[in-house]
Amino acid sequence: MTTATGATGTAQLATGTWAIDPVHSTIGFSVRHLMVSKVRGTFDTFSGAIVVAEDGTPSVTGEIAVDSINTRNEQRDAHVRSADFFDAEQYPTATFTSTGVRSNGDDYLVDGDFTLKGVTKPVTLELEFNGVNPGMGHGEVAGFEASVVLNRKDFGIDIDMPLETGGTVVGDKITVTLEIEAVRQA
């Protein structure tokens, strides 16, 4: 069995395609609210894959349906879907395509291009590889945790909702966290 040894420096992932299992994965986020707390939410519809080439070089792609945002408040979710934020009707997906993977001690950095609301910017995900398991009869399973901090204004989400006492209703920095389980495709 050929394993990924190139960019990641470890013999962990077998060559081939590893599809993200949305049933066992989560894409979440948090953003400062009213300058004193955080609102957390998830995106409930997403897909992606890790492809490990014969030389061991991994590549990652992912897509998020931005209208699947879920903050447990329908009024807020509808506002975030609107042109003030995601403009989900015109820009229904956010995408990520890796451009490289680097070792970072025991962990990794995944560089790539992230597109949101029609704007593409380079980002770097901090990634922890949790290993591979034989799975439960449906193929090998690999686990990952990753995070990135994005500035919403970099992606054209520049609505300002100032507070009378100073500051804004919604912070500029969004922390995105990914808990990913991927299944090796036969």
Side-chain angles (χ1 to χ4, degrees), residues 13-180:
L13 282 182
T15 300
T17 300
W18 297 74
I20 292 175
D21 177 358
V23 173
H24 295 102
S25 300
T26 303
I27 297 179
F29 66 89
S30 65
V31 60
R32 185 72 58 199
H33 181 251
L34 298 175
M35 306 294 296
V36 297
S37 64
K38 290 185 179 179
V39 167
R40 297 177 191 283
T42 60
F43 292 97
D44 295 337
T45 304
F46 53 90
S47 62
I50 300 108
V51 177
V52 180
E54 289 294 328
D55 69 359
T57 304
S59 64
V60 179
T61 57
E63 183 174 286
I64 300 169
V66 296
D67 68 351
S68 72
I69 190 168
N70 182 354
T71 65
R72 300 182 322 184
N73 181 296
E74 185 51 45
Q75 181 180 357
R76 177 175 47 223
D77 294 348
H79 189 206
V80 175
R81 288 181 194 109
S82 78
D84 285 346
F85 289 90
F86 289 150
D87 197 358
E89 190 171 310
Q90 184 171 349
Y91 304 102
T93 59
T95 61
F96 177 81
T97 302
S98 68
T99 57
V101 178
R102 303 176 277 144
S103 292
N104 185 29
D106 290 339
D107 296 323
Y108 305 95
L109 299 173
V110 180
D111 300 313
D113 293 324
F114 181 68
T115 302
L116 176 64
K117 200 175 179 181
V119 178
T120 301
K121 297 281 185 181
V123 300
T124 300
L125 300 171
E126 296 180 12
L127 177 89
E128 179 181 347
F129 176 56
N130 296 328
V132 176
N133 184 286
M136 299 178 67
H138 301 289
E140 290 178 285
V141 175
F144 309 87
E145 293 180 31
S147 65
V148 64
V149 177
L150 304 172
N151 186 319
R152 66 182 173 85
K153 291 183 177 184
D154 289 346
F155 296 92
I157 302 172
D158 53 8
I159 183 174
D160 283 321
M161 297 168 27
L163 295 168
E164 290 180 19
T165 57
T168 59
V169 173
V170 179
D172 294 342
K173 294 183 189 251
I174 314 297
T175 301
V176 179
T177 55
L178 302 99
E179 295 179 26
I180 301 297

